[in-house]
Amino acid sequence: MKVVALAGGVGGAKLAWGLAQVLKNDELTIIVNTGDDFIHLGLNISPDIDTVCYTLANLANPSTGWGRNDECFFCLEELKKFSAPDWFNLGDKDLALHLVRTNLLKDGWTLSQVTRYLCEKMAIQQSIIPMSDTPVSTLVHTKELGVLPFQEYFVKHQCQPTMTGVDFEGIELAELPEAGVKSLNEAERIIICPSNPWVSIQPILKVPGLRSLLSDKPVVAVSPIIGGKTVKGPAAKMFSEMGIQPSAFAVAQFYRGLIEGFVIDNVDKEQMHEIERCGIIPIAVNTLMSDNSIRIGLAKDVLAFSETLMKV
């Protein structure tokens, strides 16, 4: 079985980890959002790639879902003394990874080559592929502060400004790395992880040519919204600010025309009929990944559900 997961953020990383426990190492490829990537203090930082990598390597901070476990922040404390930008929490272990990535990119490596190298060093057996080797920048249009790079909106301003729109600078030049194209061509199932549809999954889907690679594949998405709220991140807030009532149904509509199946939480099962009327087959299970056993259980549920879609 060949499976490709599209992911970004903590929710996406958690399901990717669950899938990694269920599938053989060579059966799973994870294509990760790079619209969040940015340069900070001269360093190339790829937040979503790092979150997925740390999670699969069992190195992620369990309380936040991002960053390193047992991290220290001596460098950040020194930066504060020099009045340097300190709004992005760079831990010392995390900093080492960013230094390596930055130096390799300066030496002419592509982001996908760097990511593969880092995965090898972290003993990650699954294939993690950036959505593009060329830069794409997610820009959030806000009512109060105008256009903000995503990390400034997300971290510096804590998602407080009102979002009025989002676009992706450089997306027209983006190209899925060859390994990603190969994985999608060989994939039997595509899983869209419970990541923010607006800023984690949408950039991936907007990479030129990517949607066409999904056109003949069974695609299943998992809702990041449970009971009208998100566990982490601003997805529900973004839906509201775009004039859409946040719900599992709203996420299904977002992916309408792309997905065959949609996984929602049991608390939202009353929305199944609405989702069916969109031409999407829904299933309700426990999607709140509060511990590793539930992550694995959800991965099994998603894979079993995708199997039924292949027979429809």
Side-chain angles (χ1 to χ4, degrees):
M1 181 196 312
K2 294 289 187 179
V3 176
V4 173
L6 309 184
V10 174
K14 286 182 177 181
L15 182 55
W17 183 91
L19 291 167
Q21 311 314 304
V22 176
L23 297 166
K24 295 177 182 177
N25 293 337
D26 63 354
E27 292 181 327
L28 177 61
T29 296
I30 306 148
I31 296 176
V32 185
N33 168 47
T34 61
D36 295 6
D37 290 16
F38 73 124
I39 295 177
H40 183 65
L41 297 173
L43 300 175
N44 294 84
I45 300 178
S46 298
D48 279 359
I49 289 177
D50 296 344
T51 296
V52 172
C53 287
Y54 289 155
T55 301
L56 263 66
N58 295 308
L59 297 173
N61 183 330
S63 62
T64 62
W66 51 266
R68 289 286 300 270
N69 192 22
D70 298 323
E71 185 63 282
C72 50
F73 294 88
F74 294 111
C75 182
L76 184 63
E77 291 303 316
E78 290 300 311
L79 287 172
K80 292 178 181 179
K81 293 178 184 178
F82 291 109
S83 300
D86 62 357
W87 55 268
F88 192 82
N89 283 337
L90 285 174
D92 296 346
K93 295 178 182 178
D94 198 28
L95 184 62
L97 181 144
H98 302 321
L99 286 166
V100 171
R101 175 189 289 119
T102 301
N103 283 327
L104 291 176
L105 289 173
K106 287 181 178 178
D107 285 343
W109 291 37
T110 64
L111 182 59
S112 52
Q113 289 172 330
V114 173
T115 302
R116 185 163 57 249
Y117 173 80
L118 294 174
C119 285
E120 291 173 359
K121 293 301 181 181
M122 288 187 274
I124 297 170
Q125 301 298 314
Q126 296 74 24
S127 180
I128 299 176
I129 301 172
M131 71 182 203
S132 175
D133 282 330
T134 59
V136 176
S137 298
T138 297
L139 302 176
V140 181
H141 295 254
T142 72
K143 182 179 179 180
E144 297 87 356
L145 299 176
V147 181
L148 294 173
F150 179 77
Q151 290 303 327
E152 290 191 23
Y153 165 81
F154 186 64
V155 180
K156 187 175 183 178
H157 297 287
Q158 298 292 298
C159 306
Q160 291 303 310
T162 304
M163 188 182 90
T164 59
V166 60
D167 59 45
F168 308 102
E169 186 176 64
I171 195 67
E172 67 282 354
L173 299 176
E175 186 175 351
L176 183 66
E178 185 177 339
V181 174
K182 182 175 184 293
S183 295
L184 286 176
N185 281 330
E186 296 177 351
E188 298 168 64
R189 311 177 197 182
I190 309 296
I191 296 170
I192 299 178
C193 292
S195 306
N196 188 315
W198 297 97
V199 294
S200 292
I201 300 300
Q202 188 173 203
I204 301 175
L205 297 176
K206 282 188 174 291
V207 172
L210 192 140
R211 275 183 175 262
S212 65
L213 294 172
L214 306 181
S215 60
D216 62 344
K217 310 286 184 179
V219 182
V220 174
V222 182
S223 177
I225 294 183
I226 302 174
K229 301 178 180 179
T230 43
V231 179
K232 283 183 179 291
K237 178 178 181 288
M238 288 179 168
F239 272 101
S240 293
E241 291 170 354
M242 296 302 289
I244 305 169
Q245 179 67 33
S247 65
F249 174 63
V251 179
Q253 285 187 306
F254 190 95
Y255 291 133
R256 189 175 186 176
L258 174 68
I259 65 173
E260 284 74 42
F262 192 54
V263 182
I264 65 175
D265 193 82
N266 287 319
V267 302
D268 295 315
K269 59 185 177 182
E270 74 280 357
Q271 300 176 38
M272 291 180 69
H273 293 305
E274 288 182 289
I275 295 169
E276 287 172 345
R277 286 197 289 270
C278 292
I280 298 168
I281 302 171
I283 186 174
V285 299
N286 181 14
T287 65
L288 184 59
M289 295 178 284
S290 54
D291 59 42
N292 286 345
S293 65
I294 297 177
R295 296 186 198 184
I296 294 172
L298 178 58
K300 290 179 178 179
D301 287 339
V302 171
L303 291 172
F305 180 45
S306 67
E307 175 71 20
T308 65
L309 293 177
M310 295 179 71
K311 299 174 181 178
V312 174

